[in-house]
């Protein structure tokens, strides 16, 4: 996969004094604005501005009405690994019009700071992280750690410290909005939402090189009420990854790729129970990606994935446009196990475009003992990106139906519901 070019490096030069922070005309003057420079932030890309940001946060957090932390345009602020803690007294806007960046690589990271996370928002309610600015994760030196998969022979890796920070993490927070930002080159995941409720993501632009390891665009786990709209993500892993405990997730108008596509999972690792339901992905484009829309589970897990809809998605040279993989494994020595996460009620509708002929356009690889059921295909048209040889879809222990004829034809889905599912009333218990 060709490496994508990164956007131009944000300028770290000092700019003229901006005209001022966002006005509050529409709020009747009730919004207090806290410019981080008033708390001592320099914004030259070198000076440690962590304490200034913490003081601005702590001050804004104590205001009873809505407040804004203002990060001005034309400045680059270097911040150490930090936890911004709530709950706050009122709603809070974190307005980023300049650039935020962490220390440059593991050697510059303070030894007593966590290397698993950079900026964390903890127990925050009614917050908006927004603006026309940028977040530069400076990930290259993390990706080059000897422990990471790289371009050597057989993707060789070496022992050694491997922790790499998630750029932005929201933990146990609610009523969140993230919008308008450009985020690039995170050492690991760009955004991670853990244990959150009511998350609205709008108009994000996330980029990292196609070979950057574990740079998921947006990862959610144990989170519900999620909307991801009108965004562009190109990176070295999943554009969006949906972990266990997620439900009521709506993804719309996403441009994804290069990368690994949009994934539910992986689920059920280390024989764990995993539950995901009511997920919709629609009106999106996936291009030059290893996968399109994917459900991936480990053998030995339990729980269920159900109520999933993938609709009106355009594929461009995608290696696995439609894939269910219940034999997910990162090595060649995973043991066969009988239990599995139950996958059912999956609708694929209006999925069209081209696929990379190294793999079949549709792959339904389901557990030997826990078949996939109620897979529905409607208005599917997938053609080879090169040549005229159309590959047959692959099915293994997958049950479902075709609402319309598909291209290529799918003859391998089984009809009905298997007896093993009918007899096990606890199969889909979550």
């Amino acid at each position: 996969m060709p490496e994508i070019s990164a956007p131009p490096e944000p300028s770290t030069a000092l700019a003229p004094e901006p005209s001022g922070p966002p006005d509050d005309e529409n709020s009747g003057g009730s919004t207090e604005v806290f410019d981080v420079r008033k708390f001592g932030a320099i914004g030259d890309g070198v000076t440690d501005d962590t304490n200034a940001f913490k003081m601005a946060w702590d001050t804004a957090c104590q205001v009873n009405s809505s407040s804004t932390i203002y990060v001005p345009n034309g400045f680059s602020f270097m911040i150490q690994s930090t936890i911004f803690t709530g709950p706050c007294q009122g709603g809070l806007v974190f307005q980023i019009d300049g650039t935020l960046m962490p220390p440059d690589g593991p050697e510059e990271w303070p030894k007593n700071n966590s290397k698993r996370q950079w900026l964390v928002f903890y127990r925050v309610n009614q917050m908006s992280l927004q603006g026309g600015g940028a977040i530069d994760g400076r990930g290259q030196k993390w990706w080059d750690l000897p422990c990471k998969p790289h371009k050597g022979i057989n993707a060789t890796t070496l022992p050694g410290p491997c922790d790499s920070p998630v750029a932005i993490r929201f933990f146990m927070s609610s009523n969140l909005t993230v919008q308008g930002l450009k985020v690039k080159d995170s050492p690991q995941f760009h955004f991670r939402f853990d244990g959150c409720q009511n998350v609205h993501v709008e108009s994000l632009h996330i980029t990292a090189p196609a070979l950057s390891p574990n740079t998921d665009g947006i990862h959610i786990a144990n989170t519900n009420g999620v909307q991801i709209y009108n965004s562009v993500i190109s990176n070295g892993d999943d554009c969006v990854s949906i972990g266990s405990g997620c439900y009521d997730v709506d993804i719309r108008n996403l441009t994804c790729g290069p990368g690994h596509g949009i994934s539910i999972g992986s689920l059920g690792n280390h024989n764990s129970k995993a539950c995901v339901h009511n997920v919709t992905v629609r009106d999106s484009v996936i291009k030059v990606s290893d996968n399109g829309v994917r459900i991936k589970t480990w053998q030995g897990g339990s729980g269920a994935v159900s109520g999933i809809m993938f609709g009106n998605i355009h594929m461009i040279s995608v290696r696995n446009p439609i894939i269910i993989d219940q034999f997910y494994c990162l090595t060649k020595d995973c043991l066969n196990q009988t239990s599995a996460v139950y996958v059912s009620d999956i609708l694929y509708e209006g999925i069209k475009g081209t696929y990379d002929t190294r793999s079949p356009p549709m792959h339904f690889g389901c557990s030997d003992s826990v078949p996939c059921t109620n897979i529905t295909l409607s208005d599917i048209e997938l053609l080879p990106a090169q040549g005229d040889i159309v590959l047959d879809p692959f099915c293994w222990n997958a049950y479902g139906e075709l609402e319309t004829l598909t291209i290529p034809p799918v003859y391998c889905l089984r009809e009905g519901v298997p007896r093993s599912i009918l007899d096990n009333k606890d199969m889909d218990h979550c």
Side-chain angles (χ1 to χ4, degrees):
M1 185 184 299
E3 221 174 295
I4 60 170
S5 58
E9 192 73 10
S11 172
T12 58
L14 292 176
E17 186 78 1
S19 57
D23 62 53
D24 53 8
E25 292 177 2
N26 295 329
S27 61
S30 62
T31 300
E32 293 196 49
V33 177
F34 300 93
D35 187 326
V36 293
R37 291 172 304 164
K38 300 292 178 60
F39 293 85
I42 303 301
D44 60 4
V46 178
T47 305
D48 184 353
D49 288 322
T50 308
N51 287 337
F53 273 72
K54 286 285 287 181
M55 285 190 290
W57 173 272
D58 291 342
T59 304
C61 195
Q62 297 306 313
V63 175
N64 286 324
S65 59
S66 60
S67 58
T68 296
I69 297 171
Y70 178 56
V71 181
N73 183 31
F75 296 86
S76 294
F77 300 92
M78 195 278 286
I79 307 174
Q80 308 282 0
S81 176
T82 303
I83 300 177
F84 296 102
T85 303
C88 295
Q89 296 297 317
L92 197 149
V93 174
F94 207 127
Q95 179 76 23
I96 301 175
D97 289 336
T99 297
L100 303 186
M101 59 178 61
D104 189 14
E107 294 299 319
E108 300 296 323
W109 210 265
K111 288 183 169 49
N112 59 341
N113 284 2
S114 170
K115 290 186 176 180
R116 294 188 176 184
Q117 55 198 29
W118 175 35
L119 301 182
V120 180
F121 298 93
Y122 175 58
R123 290 191 179 277
V124 177
N125 180 39
Q126 290 188 333
M127 174 186 163
S128 178
L129 182 68
Q130 64 183 46
I135 297 173
D136 181 357
R138 305 171 90 173
Q140 185 66 55
K141 293 179 181 178
W142 298 92
W143 308 330
D144 289 342
L145 286 171
C147 63
K148 296 294 179 70
H150 58 78
K151 302 176 187 178
I153 299 173
N154 297 323
T156 53
T157 60
L158 297 174
C162 214
D163 283 346
S164 301
V166 172
I168 310 291
R169 184 186 184 202
F170 288 90
F171 183 45
M172 296 181 67
S173 296
S174 59
N175 301 313
L176 306 170
T177 299
V178 181
Q179 62 182 359
L181 295 167
K182 294 180 175 61
V183 187
K184 73 168 189 171
D185 294 348
S186 176
Q188 206 196 55
F189 298 174
H190 287 77
F191 284 90
R192 179 172 182 139
F193 297 88
D194 290 299
C196 295
Q197 292 182 317
N198 300 329
V199 176
H200 181 85
V201 175
E202 179 91 28
S203 302
L204 284 187
H205 194 279
I206 298 173
T207 59
L211 295 178
S212 56
N214 301 117
T215 52
D216 294 44
I218 300 170
H219 176 76
I220 60 175
N222 298 305
T223 293
N224 65 82
V226 179
Q227 299 171 329
I228 301 173
Y229 294 161
N230 308 317
S231 295
V232 177
I233 303 175
S234 59
N235 56 351
D237 212 304
D238 296 327
C239 292
V240 178
S241 52
I242 300 169
S244 180
C246 293
Y247 60 91
D248 296 344
V249 178
D250 187 29
I251 299 171
R252 185 191 310 170
N253 195 21
L254 184 71
T255 299
C256 167
H260 293 181
I262 299 170
S263 291
I264 296 174
S266 58
L267 303 174
N269 195 11
H270 304 302
N271 299 336
S272 61
K273 181 177 180 179
C275 298
V276 174
H277 67 272
N278 193 21
V279 175
T280 299
V281 180
R282 53 183 167 161
D283 307 333
S284 295
V285 175
I286 303 177
K287 57 184 181 180
V288 196
S289 179
D290 282 1
N291 304 289
V293 289
R294 174 169 60 160
I295 299 171
K296 52 179 178 175
T297 71
W298 296 80
Q299 293 187 73
S302 62
V305 176
S306 63
I308 313 298
M309 188 270 194
F310 301 110
N312 189 27
I313 299 174
H314 184 56
M315 304 284 180
I316 303 172
S317 295
V318 173
R319 183 166 180 176
N320 298 289
I322 295 174
I323 178 170
I324 296 175
D325 179 11
Q326 291 212 270
F327 299 90
Y328 184 70
C329 177
L330 295 177
T331 64
K332 295 182 178 179
D333 56 358
C334 292
L335 299 175
N336 285 331
Q337 300 186 54
T338 55
S339 63
V341 178
Y342 177 39
V343 177
S344 66
D345 302 322
I346 316 296
L347 170 62
Y348 302 92
E349 182 176 64
I351 299 180
K352 301 179 180 182
T354 59
Y355 63 93
D356 180 326
T357 53
R358 290 177 293 171
S359 302
M362 289 174 263
H363 177 109
F364 302 107
C366 301
S367 165
D368 291 335
S369 54
V370 185
C372 304
T373 63
N374 200 21
I375 296 171
T376 303
L377 302 175
S378 176
D379 197 21
I380 309 297
E381 184 177 307
L382 295 168
L383 299 170
Q386 294 182 329
D388 54 5
I389 298 176
V390 178
L391 299 179
D392 291 331
F394 171 84
C395 303
W396 182 266
N397 218 18
Y399 289 74
E401 64 174 355
L402 309 181
E403 286 192 342
T404 66
L405 294 177
T406 65
I407 300 174
V410 179
Y411 300 119
C412 57
L413 279 180
R414 300 182 179 184
E415 295 181 355
V417 180
R419 175 59 61 182
S420 61
I421 299 296
L422 294 172
D423 289 344
N424 191 343
K425 294 182 171 51
D426 294 327
M427 184 68 70
D428 61 350
H429 180 69
C430 266

